[in-house]
Amino acid sequence: MTVSDFDSYRPPEPERRKRRGGKRRRAGAGGRGEVPVVPEATFASYYGQPVIKPPPWGSPIAIYLFLGGVAGGSALLGVGAQLSGRRELCRNSRLAAFGAIGAGSVALIADLGRPERFLHMLRTIKPSSPMSLGSWILTAFSAAAGVAAAAEVDRMSAVRLPLGPLRRVLQALEAPAGVGAGVLATPLAAYTAVLLSDTANPTWNAARQDLPFVFVSSASLAAGGLGMLTTAPEHAGPARALAAMGAAGELVATRVMKRNMDPVAAEPLELDGPGRLLKWSERLTIAGGVGAAVAGRSRWLATGSGAALLAASALTRFGVLRAGLAAAQDPRYTIEPQKRRLAARRKAGIVHDSITTAG
């Protein structure tokens, strides 16, 4: 007899009741009442497998989420410094944006396994797909940030790079490229949150309204912290302001997100692993935000605050990613919110579709 590989997952069958006198004893005989045919419902799944398939994402994706936010925030800080004439902050922010997006792209390609898979995502544009639009945002941002960073490197080398006639082209494109990177900064920092929440994962999907605000705020405080680390305090005023505003924004957005989420779907954010990361992220955000607000021209305080904010942003991305992975493992986080949404639809009188009429 041929046996499928999936038979190894089949749960053991309960022991059958013995017959008396060659006849099966009827339920209720002997005054014991009827034996329930359907067992009490439990949060179990088919053959004990998860209800939804966990995404095969690990640390490289979390690194990409973090570095993409750093790149976007740095480009936004850079265009502000460009327009206000702060040369040192502009230079450092441009280099930080290109370095972060370059390293983040390496992490993304490492997760994909083969570099050509990223190129395959550029064969078409699908407006309804966050991954498709995100690939194009990443490509356009990298090109703009690369041109602005190349101009800064050429200037730092005292115009000694062997560019020839391309130098004039580079100098002409420098300012538009810096502005273009700044325009794409917010979409770059936010699209990864949309990508996570546009899935069946119960925790990410329940946070779809507020997770982009969390990621954008996290990107702002990380870029501000990096600007405080790399720029002299007397020129890093905008970086300190961005860091303080980003810290306040993330603290508020995270609390609003948890309050608006389904209570069960929000539980993975408080589990031992993800919850510990997010708790430390909150502590470092508070410490770094306060430090950014009061650092002034203190180099040591600016350095400590900037490092704390960078670590806080990284922990936020790792915590949110791991919370979603944990939510996919337990059927309860999928089933209970579904039942609550179904009850709410029926209570609102929505009973004429396949969702509410089934069962």
Side-chain angles (χ1 to χ4, degrees):
M1 182 178 68
T2 303
V3 180
S4 170
D5 293 338
F6 291 99
D7 287 343
S8 61
Y9 298 106
R10 189 182 300 277
E13 295 184 0
E15 183 180 356
R16 296 185 179 183
R17 300 178 62 182
K18 298 181 179 180
R19 297 184 179 182
R20 294 186 179 182
K23 295 182 179 180
R24 187 180 297 276
R25 186 176 181 182
R26 294 186 302 172
R32 295 185 180 182
E34 295 185 357
V35 178
V37 179
V38 180
E40 189 70 22
T42 58
F43 294 104
S45 57
Y46 191 62
Y47 287 169
Q49 301 304 301
V51 175
I52 62 175
K53 184 177 180 180
W57 293 340
S59 296
I61 288 298
I63 293 173
Y64 169 68
L65 297 178
F66 165 63
L67 292 178
V70 173
S74 297
L76 188 63
L77 188 60
V79 72
Q82 171 186 334
L83 297 177
S84 61
R86 299 173 183 267
R87 284 301 314 152
E88 182 181 349
L89 182 59
C90 178
R91 179 198 65 205
N92 294 342
S93 298
R94 285 178 172 179
L95 295 177
F98 182 68
I101 201 61
S105 299
V106 171
L108 175 62
I109 292 174
D111 182 80
L112 292 175
R114 296 199 305 267
E116 63 269 19
R117 287 179 174 172
F118 179 79
L119 298 177
H120 293 166
M121 292 189 290
L122 300 177
R123 293 183 298 179
T124 184
I125 300 179
K126 188 176 181 181
S128 60
S129 170
M131 181 173 291
S132 176
L133 289 182
S135 301
W136 282 100
I137 291 173
L138 173 61
T139 302
F141 177 90
S142 300
V147 171
E152 293 293 346
V153 172
D154 184 50
R155 191 177 296 110
M156 292 169 62
S157 67
V159 199
R160 293 178 181 177
L161 295 181
L163 298 178
L166 292 178
R167 178 168 285 108
R168 292 185 178 181
V169 177
L170 181 63
Q171 293 174 349
L173 293 177
E174 176 186 358
V179 174
V183 170
L184 294 171
T186 301
L188 178 69
Y191 99 87
T192 49
V194 179
L195 179 63
L196 293 180
S197 58
D198 191 34
T199 64
N201 188 284
T203 297
W204 294 339
N205 188 264
R208 62 188 179 276
Q209 294 181 352
D210 304 295
L211 189 58
F213 296 99
V214 174
F215 274 26
V216 170
S217 300
S218 176
S220 300
L221 67 89
L226 185 57
M228 294 165 61
L229 283 172
T230 58
T231 307
E234 57 269 21
H235 302 298
R240 292 193 296 270
L242 182 65
M245 290 188 295
E250 181 178 339
L251 293 173
V252 173
T254 301
R255 280 171 168 73
V256 172
M257 178 184 72
K258 291 181 179 180
R259 185 184 63 191
N260 292 338
M261 292 174 65
D262 183 277
V264 175
E267 283 185 14
L269 296 172
E270 308 293 341
L271 294 178
D272 184 47
R276 185 166 57 251
L277 294 177
L278 293 174
K279 182 59 68 175
W280 272 106
S281 173
E282 181 180 4
R283 294 168 181 166
L284 291 173
T285 298
I286 294 174
V290 172
V294 302
R297 298 196 174 187
S298 172
R299 184 63 176 174
W300 290 106
L301 186 54
T303 300
S305 300
L309 292 172
L310 281 170
S313 180
L315 291 176
T316 296
R317 308 305 172 104
F318 275 85
V320 170
L321 180 66
R322 293 186 180 181
L325 297 178
Q329 297 291 339
D330 192 340
R332 174 172 173 264
Y333 298 127
T334 301
I335 295 173
E336 275 200 14
Q338 286 179 343
K339 294 174 66 176
R340 192 173 288 109
R341 290 194 299 269
L342 177 61
R345 290 172 65 89
R346 287 175 173 166
K347 184 177 180 179
I350 307 175
V351 296
H352 301 295
D353 54 30
S354 59
I355 299 177
T356 53
T357 55

